[in-house]
């Protein structure tokens, strides 16, 4: 089952990555957009490693494995795309946006709570520590996705145009955390399948949703 699901995730991520290359790398495109495409590429490589491990060994390592670097790389790119220039456009650091910054902390808090629940149940181990490292990068990206989802828009509708993308990215962050839980707790197969199928849908939607938003801010 895990082999089939990992292959499905790899195929969906590969579609998203190659579609992004086709749409945004043939001419000039903002670095912001290209970083998001690279994020999907990292996911593709990470999931490909997992699929190959299931194919060769029948299972993944119980602790850290190279496939995790794909997920970490993905959220590093997503975080980097929103952190810095994009965030400075919508938040000048003034008290005006303090409430928004506080509310946005809900995303990393939820991520942390999901990991803590895992540790409380399973205890500290090489596996939970490795997942905790992964969760750190997910939490950082999730903060900015929620923040840019709720923050007041700027001139020309820049943030409004990519709210749908930020929603998709935030959902993906929580789905990656849900994947940790359903696999660690050995939940029924239907729960695992639902989480993986939803991830497939999100990976297919990532770049098209982003593209639709980009068209709004460039027209």
């Amino acid at each position: 089952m895990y082999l089939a699901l990992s292959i499905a995730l790899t195929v969906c991520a590969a579609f998203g990555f190659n579609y992004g290359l086709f749409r945004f790398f043939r001419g000039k495109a903002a670095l912001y957009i290209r970083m998001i495409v690279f994020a999907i590429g990292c996911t593709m490589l990470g999931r490909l490693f997992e699929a190959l491990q299931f194919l060769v060994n029948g299972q993944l390592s119980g602790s850290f494995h190279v496939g995790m670097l794909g997920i970490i790389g993905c959220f590093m790119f997503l975080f980097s795309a929103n952190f810095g220039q994009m965030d400075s456009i919508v938040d000048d650091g003034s008290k005006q946006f303090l409430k928004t910054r506080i509310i946005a902390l809900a995303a990393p808090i939820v991520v942390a709570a999901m990991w803590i629940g895992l540790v409380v149940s399973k205890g500290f181990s090489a596996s939970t520590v490795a997942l905790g490292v992964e969760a750190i990068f997910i939490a950082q990206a999730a903060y900015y996705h929620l923040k840019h989802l709720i923050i007041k828009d700027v001139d020309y509708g820049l943030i409004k145009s990519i709210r749908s993308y930020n929603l998709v990215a935030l959902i993906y962050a929580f789905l990656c955390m849900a994947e940790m839980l359903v696999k660690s707790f050995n939940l029924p197969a239907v729960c695992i399948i639902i989480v993986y199928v939803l991830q497939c849908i999100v990976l297919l939607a990532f770049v098209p949703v982003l593209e639709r938003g980009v068209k709004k801010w460039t027209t």
Side-chain angles (χ1 to χ4, degrees), residues 12-42 44-45 77 203-204 206-208 210-211:
C12 291
F15 171 84
F17 177 62
N18 284 285
Y19 181 77
L21 290 179
F22 176 76
R23 297 298 298 167
F24 299 120
F25 283 77
R26 294 185 301 164
K28 292 183 178 180
L31 179 61
Y32 176 83
I33 301 168
R34 294 188 174 188
M35 292 180 78
I36 294 167
V37 175
F38 285 140
I40 306 302
C42 286
M44 176 188 70
L45 294 175
F77 272 114
L203 288 171
L204 290 173
F206 244 108
V207 179
L210 175 64
E211 181 183 20

Side-chain angles (χ1 to χ4, degrees), residues 47-106:
R47 295 304 185 175
L48 176 60
F49 175 86
E50 292 180 2
L52 292 174
Q53 283 294 297
F54 281 121
L55 181 63
V56 174
N57 297 325
Q59 62 181 2
L60 288 174
S61 167
S63 56
F64 179 83
H65 57 82
V66 175
M68 286 183 173
L69 293 177
I71 303 302
I72 290 173
C74 169
F75 284 98
M76 285 183 67
F77 272 114
L78 295 179
F79 166 78
S80 299
N82 275 336
F83 178 78
Q85 184 176 8
M86 178 60 75
D87 189 62
S88 65
I89 292 174
V90 297
D91 183 0
D92 58 5
S94 66
K95 291 183 179 180
Q96 176 185 356
F97 299 105
L98 178 60
K99 182 178 179 180
T100 300
R101 292 193 289 269
I102 292 174
I103 294 174
L105 289 172

Side-chain angles (χ1 to χ4, degrees), residues 49-173:
F49 175 86
E50 292 180 2
L52 292 174
Q53 283 294 297
F54 281 121
L55 181 63
V56 174
N57 297 325
Q59 62 181 2
L60 288 174
S61 167
S63 56
F64 179 83
H65 57 82
V66 175
M68 286 183 173
L69 293 177
I71 303 302
I72 290 173
C74 169
F75 284 98
M76 285 183 67
F77 272 114
L78 295 179
F79 166 78
S80 299
N82 275 336
F83 178 78
Q85 184 176 8
M86 178 60 75
D87 189 62
S88 65
I89 292 174
V90 297
D91 183 0
D92 58 5
S94 66
K95 291 183 179 180
Q96 176 185 356
F97 299 105
L98 178 60
K99 182 178 179 180
T100 300
R101 292 193 289 269
I102 292 174
I103 294 174
L105 289 172
I109 288 173
V110 170
V111 171
M114 295 174 80
W115 179 75
I116 290 171
L118 181 62
V119 172
V120 169
S121 176
K122 299 292 183 178
F124 276 105
S125 65
S127 177
T128 54
V129 170
L131 292 174
V133 172
E134 190 176 311
I136 290 172
F137 292 94
I138 294 174
Q140 290 177 328
Y143 168 80
Y144 284 99
H145 290 309
L146 179 55
K147 181 181 178 182
H148 293 176
L149 192 60
I150 63 175
I151 200 166
K152 182 181 177 181
D153 201 7
V154 294
D155 294 339
Y156 308 111
L158 174 62
I159 290 299
K160 181 180 179 180
S161 66
I162 56 173
R163 287 200 201 281
S164 295
Y165 152 72
N166 279 298
L167 177 60
V168 168
L170 184 62
I171 291 172
Y172 183 61

Side-chain angles (χ1 to χ4, degrees), residues 176-189:
C176 286
M177 292 304 301
E179 179 187 351
M180 292 184 192
L181 297 179
V182 297
K183 289 165 70 174
S184 298
F185 287 111
N186 293 318
L187 295 181

Side-chain angles (χ1 to χ4, degrees), residues 2 7 70 158:
Y2 279 118
I7 291 174
L158 174 62

